[in-house]
Amino acid sequence: QVQLVESGGGLVQPGGSLRLSCAASGSIFSINVMGWYRQAPGKQRELVAIIVDSGATNYADSVKGRFTISRDNAKNTVYLQMTSLKPEDTAVYYCNLHDFRMDFWGKGTLVTVSS
């Protein structure tokens, strides 16, 4: 099994920045995809960004140019640098690890963008 622990969420003003981190532990295979998803109140969970073990990335259109995903394979950690945050970015952000077995999820970290 894999355990994922997110950190870095909080309250930030519009236009501000936050950096989320997700540390993975347990039975981790080197070939995997890690990513961030979010779920706003009353909405379905949606993809924010993913990064393959090789470093290739993909972003939701709504965050392109504002968010950057990265990973440190040696630390089994994925990061999400969020800039120019908007109120509509408010959500619980979940870390995900996908490999040949299944999807693993963290418990989430709340990001609130408000003045």
Side-chain angles (χ1 to χ4, degrees), residues 37-47 91:
Y37 292 72
R38 67 186 181 187
Q39 186 166 17
K43 294 188 177 181
Q44 290 189 331
R45 191 174 298 188
E46 63 177 4
L47 169 72

Side-chain angles (χ1 to χ4, degrees), residues 32-77:
N32 59 61
V33 179
M34 296 189 76
W36 292 93
Y37 292 72
R38 67 186 181 187
Q39 186 166 17
K43 294 188 177 181
Q44 290 189 331
R45 191 174 298 188
E46 63 177 4
L47 169 72
V48 177
I50 56 172
I51 183 166
V52 184
D53 52 273
S54 63
T57 60
N58 192 33
Y59 295 89
D61 288 341
S62 59
V63 306
K64 282 181 181 177
R66 299 189 298 122
F67 292 8
T68 302
I69 190 170
S70 61
R71 63 189 287 168
D72 184 333
N73 290 333
K75 296 182 179 179
N76 292 318
T77 299

Side-chain angles (χ1 to χ4, degrees), residues 4 19-20 22 28 32 37 43 48 56 58 64-66 69-70 72 80 82 84 92 95 100-102 105-106 111 115:
L4 301 172
R19 188 193 195 207
L20 305 182
C22 172
I28 300 170
N32 59 61
Y37 292 72
K43 294 188 177 181
V48 177
N58 192 33
K64 282 181 181 177
R66 299 189 298 122
I69 190 170
S70 61
D72 184 333
L80 186 68
M82 305 184 293
S84 301
V92 177
C95 179
F100 71 93
R101 296 167 293 178
M102 60 181 288
W105 293 93
V111 172
S115 55

